[in-house]
Amino acid sequence: MKAAFPFWEDRIAPVFDSARRICIVEVEFGRIVQEDREPLIGDLPVQKALCLTELGVATLVCGAISRPLQEMLTGYGIQVVPFVSGDLSEVIRAWISGRLNRSAFAMPGCSRGRQRRFGAPRNMDWRDHIMNGMGQGGQGMGGGQGRGQGGRRAGRGGGPLAAGPVGDCVCPQCGRKEPHRRGVPCFERKCPNCGALMVRQ
């Protein structure tokens, strides 16, 4: 069985969509029989999916991933284990031993117990909140619609609440920050410096 682990500086890459290298681990009877590091060719979701398919990958263990890319990989028969973080070698060992579902390897902010703190809807998993663009399009985080307010909910002081999330988009490769644009998920924006897909801060 082969599993792929996208990495950056010997840690799991924070966003699979912008990852450029993967570690391929082949396991038999709970032991690693082969380990290789390969370039992840292509920027389009279909290119990444085809690359993993050609390498014979059955499971992808990764950080954040956009919903279209995850659905495409699933369509190609690849099991996706998303929102994992940590040291590459430790994550690989945890995956082999079946300990990867421990909270120690969860991306910061992806715990169910912290959903309300980060503004996710009560009935939505925080991981779905990330893949759906952090409440884009005026939904969530104070951007809901109210009656008689022209599509915006009134704040306590009578003024409208800001529609949509605020903050920065950050490049996981070079660290450049760009102001977040309402309705445009950060993972769909490329860094002006290096071209990598950005993530929310």
Side-chain angles (χ1 to χ4, degrees), residues 2 12 39 86 112 116 135 139:
K2 286 187 178 181
I12 295 297
R112 286 180 178 271
R116 298 304 299 170
Q139 296 179 359

Side-chain angles (χ1 to χ4, degrees), residues 1-7 12-13 15-17 19 21-25 40 45 48-49 51-53 55-66 69-74 77-84 91 95 100:
M1 179 180 180
K2 286 187 178 181
F5 301 80
F7 66 94
I12 295 297
V15 181
F16 177 64
D17 297 57
R21 300 192 67 195
I22 52 175
C23 179
I24 305 292
V25 176
L40 188 57
K48 293 183 182 293
C51 180
L52 294 182
T53 300
L55 291 169
V57 171
T59 301
L60 171 69
V61 179
C62 62
I65 181 173
S66 63
L69 181 51
Q70 180 173 358
E71 291 177 348
M72 180 171 292
L73 292 172
T74 302
I78 298 174
Q79 179 188 12
V80 180
V81 183
F83 300 100
V84 173
V91 170
W95 176 75
L100 195 57

Side-chain angles (χ1 to χ4, degrees), residues 26-183:
E26 186 171 359
V27 177
E28 290 183 2
F29 303 107
R31 301 183 62 182
I32 298 177
V33 297
Q34 186 172 346
E35 182 175 334
D36 299 299
R37 299 195 175 192
E38 302 282 350
L40 188 57
I41 302 173
D43 293 322
L44 299 176
V46 66
Q47 292 174 314
K48 293 183 182 293
L50 288 173
C51 180
L52 294 182
T53 300
E54 291 172 358
L55 291 169
V57 171
T59 301
L60 171 69
V61 179
C62 62
I65 181 173
S66 63
R67 185 176 298 278
L69 181 51
Q70 180 173 358
E71 291 177 348
M72 180 171 292
L73 292 172
T74 302
Y76 276 88
I78 298 174
Q79 179 188 12
V80 180
V81 183
F83 300 100
V84 173
S85 68
D87 179 82
L88 176 62
S89 58
E90 292 180 2
V91 170
I92 292 174
R93 289 196 297 268
W95 176 75
I96 293 173
S97 62
R99 297 182 292 107
L100 195 57
N101 59 350
R102 294 173 58 182
S103 59
F105 298 104
M107 290 187 70
C110 293
S111 171
R112 286 180 178 271
R114 300 171 66 187
Q115 285 178 23
R116 298 304 299 170
R117 175 181 174 184
F118 287 93
R122 191 178 301 275
N123 61 348
M124 178 183 288
D125 191 290
W126 173 241
R127 294 169 295 181
D128 290 332
H129 200 45
I130 293 176
M131 289 196 295
N132 282 327
M134 302 285 287
Q136 60 175 304
Q139 296 179 359
M141 300 193 70
Q145 294 184 348
R147 296 181 181 179
Q149 297 296 330
R152 294 189 178 183
R153 187 175 54 190
R156 290 184 180 179
L161 292 175
V166 295
D168 295 321
C169 297
V170 182
C171 176
Q173 302 292 344
C174 68
R176 180 183 176 111
K177 292 184 179 181
E178 291 287 325
H180 177 72
R181 299 175 185 170
R182 177 185 173 190

